[in-house]
Amino acid sequence: LDDEKRLRLMKATAIAHANIALIKYWGKRDERLNLPAVGSISVTLRELSTKTQVVFDEKLTRDELILNGTPAGEEERQRVSRFMDIIRSEAKISEKCKIDSRNNFPTGAGLASSASAFAALALASSHAAGLTLSPEELSILARRGSGSAARSVYGGFVEMKKGEAADGSDAFAVQLAPPEYWDLHILILITSTEQKLIGSTGGMIQTQETSPYYFRWISEQDRDLREMREAIRKRDFEHLGELAEFNALKMHATAIAARPGILYWNGTTVELIHEVRRLRLQGEAVYFTIDAGPQVKLICEAPSVDKLRQHFQNFPGIKQIIDTPLGPDAYLWEASK
Ligand code: 2P0
């Protein structure tokens, strides 16, 4: 019976949602502990989630990772296995585990999934290993997997603290407002489903090592964070949108100035930047943000969604549109089954 109880305790499933930063994370102050060089502010997305099951099993000789129903490549498996070593060390267990992770959004849609993936993995694996973590500790743990994952622990509007401590104990995310605070929508305009040539981690490191604008990017971030908190507090949509657009373009400009330059955009990305600005001149309340890839994410309020969706439906180069309101905290799913 004891064995049965132990086995039951060593299994858990969690769901976490993706997020999009309004004030971007770009740069690390410590690579090993994955500490960000800047704070960031994001919104969590209801329609994009990852569901992850973790089962520790003494019979396994190595960690196994299934992604969307298929065994993961060796590089991904090792990244996750290194993360599981952190869990094992904290929980003082030695069992290897089987991880089954599934995104509810189309794979190969060119959308980053490391935020929802590591937030779901942190919650499921800590629970399965018998750790009881506070939300702050969970966010710190998720950060070790991927910086943006620290934010996906919470729903709604979320701020990731850069922190000061060398051990990362104050580098975690906090919720600024729950999802129901403001009916914002993000419309993701997918322009390419190809794998990007340079990932976020590599792109950040190259930027901080070679971009002449990196120092300026870092030195202005606290002001942008303060302004964004204020725009959210006042529910000032124009201010939020204008500032998000500014901060995203500034991040990209800093990366473009690296040597060699890092350019995540394609032609459609640029056409869409112009189109959003044309729409604004015609009175539409819509802004954009862009992450480490060629997709353009529109920021708007709920009443504008249908019109914008229709407007971009047949825009040349757009492969797919995903509309999402803000989503909830990460949560456990039938924890003990
Ligand atoms: C962000 N991005 O704030 C920024 C904007 C991409 C562009 O966080 O190295 O995959 O795993 O900590 O979390 C993507 O970075 O990087 C990201 P790691 P991560 O959303």
Side-chain angles (χ1 to χ4, degrees), residues 62-77 98-102:
R62 65 176 214 164
D63 294 321
E64 289 176 14
L65 174 63
I66 309 288
L67 285 181
N68 301 303
T70 314
E74 187 54 17
E75 203 177 319
E76 276 164 316
R77 195 196 65 81
K98 186 170 177 183
I99 299 157
D100 192 317
S101 189
R102 232 167 252 279

Side-chain angles (χ1 to χ4, degrees), residues 268-311:
T268 306
T269 315
V270 178
E271 292 300 336
L272 286 168
I273 291 174
H274 290 299
E275 186 63 13
V276 170
R277 290 179 160 183
R278 261 194 297 274
L279 283 173
R280 270 213 306 278
L281 285 176
Q282 293 165 17
E284 281 311 317
V286 58
Y287 295 83
F288 67 82
T289 186
I290 305 170
D291 292 296
Q295 329 306 350
V296 174
K297 286 106 181 204
L298 303 183
I299 306 164
C300 67
E301 293 181 289
S304 314
V305 169
D306 288 347
K307 195 175 167 193
L308 286 169
R309 206 191 233 286
Q310 263 175 23
H311 182 85

Side-chain angles (χ1 to χ4, degrees), residues 109-151:
L111 294 168
S113 55
S114 71
S116 52
F118 277 103
L121 183 60
L123 181 55
S125 60
S126 58
H127 195 81
L131 293 169
T132 312
L133 302 180
S134 67
E136 285 174 8
E137 290 167 327
L138 184 64
S139 179
I140 285 172
L141 181 63
R143 188 205 74 222
R144 296 290 299 272
S146 193
S148 52
R151 301 187 306 237

Side-chain angles (χ1 to χ4, degrees), residues 50-108:
T50 302
K51 184 175 180 180
T52 300
Q53 185 192 59
V54 175
V55 186
F56 286 99
D57 183 345
E58 61 189 12
K59 291 193 287 294
L60 292 171
T61 54
R62 65 176 214 164
D63 294 321
E64 289 176 14
L65 174 63
I66 309 288
L67 285 181
N68 301 303
T70 314
E74 187 54 17
E75 203 177 319
E76 276 164 316
R77 195 196 65 81
Q78 282 181 19
R79 180 175 177 184
V80 164
S81 194
R82 282 195 299 274
F83 180 82
M84 297 313 301
D85 289 340
I86 300 170
I87 301 274
R88 278 186 285 263
S89 139
E90 286 190 18
K92 299 183 175 60
I93 59 171
S94 58
E95 287 89 344
K96 303 289 184 200
C97 67
K98 186 170 177 183
I99 299 157
D100 192 317
S101 189
R102 232 167 252 279
N103 295 327
N104 80 337
F105 46 95
T107 32

Side-chain angles (χ1 to χ4, degrees), residues 19-21 23-26 28 34 40 79 114 143 145-149 151 200-201 204 251 290-292:
N19 70 75
I20 300 269
I23 300 294
K24 305 296 187 188
Y25 151 48
W26 199 253
K28 294 177 195 278
N34 206 24
S40 54
R79 180 175 177 184
S114 71
R143 188 205 74 222
S146 193
S148 52
R151 301 187 306 237
S200 297
T201 308
M204 281 184 213
M251 180 202 100
I290 305 170
D291 292 296

Side-chain angles (χ1 to χ4, degrees), residues 202-220:
M204 281 184 213
I205 289 163
Q206 194 168 313
T207 303
Q208 65 194 61
E209 283 174 355
T210 65
S211 174
Y213 306 147
Y214 182 70
F215 176 77
R216 188 62 185 258
W217 158 254
I218 298 295
S219 71
E220 287 194 2

